Amino acid sequence: MKLVVTIVGKDRVGIIAMVSNILAENNVNILNINQNIMEGFFNMVMIVEMTDSKIKLQELQNILKEKGNEINLDIKVQHQDIFNVMHNV
């Protein structure tokens, strides 16, 4: 299953490492990363695959959302198909 992970918030050291570590700990593979920083705000979109992961999508969503809240980041995880439908107009 492919997922889209979006991260938005004020830039700080370690954002990519924090998210990548959580994904790796849960056997979620990163397929693609696109990130930029505009006027001090961090924005990243990741395409990941959790085919070999034992964790459920909702659990991963909760873990990343809670961790993001701790450091004032908005982290969302969506199934790629839902993301595509929401962004095709």
Side-chain angles (χ1 to χ4, degrees):
M1 171 185 351
K2 289 186 182 174
L3 309 173
V4 177
V5 180
T6 57
I7 301 107
V8 177
K10 189 172 181 195
D11 188 34
R12 64 179 296 220
V13 173
I15 296 172
I16 296 172
M18 183 265 300
V19 174
S20 297
N21 284 333
I22 291 170
L23 295 173
E25 288 168 3
N26 290 287
N27 206 29
V28 177
N29 189 34
I30 298 170
L31 302 175
N32 193 351
I33 297 176
N34 184 350
Q35 67 96 31
N36 62 38
I37 299 166
M38 294 175 38
E39 298 186 24
F41 284 93
F42 180 87
N43 183 18
M44 181 167 73
V45 178
M46 305 172 91
I47 306 297
V48 302
E49 179 162 61
M50 62 182 300
T51 303
D52 296 328
S53 180
K54 302 290 186 228
I55 193 170
K56 293 181 181 178
L57 173 57
Q58 181 137 9
E59 291 175 84
L60 183 62
Q61 289 170 323
N62 291 339
I63 290 168
L64 287 170
K65 182 176 182 165
E66 288 173 18
K67 191 63 173 176
N69 288 342
E70 289 175 16
I71 57 174
N72 296 318
L73 293 174
D74 182 28
I75 303 178
K76 294 183 178 152
V77 182
Q78 297 173 296
H79 192 283
Q80 186 178 31
D81 293 341
I82 293 171
F83 182 87
N84 289 338
V85 168
M86 289 175 54
H87 292 89
N88 278 335
V89 177

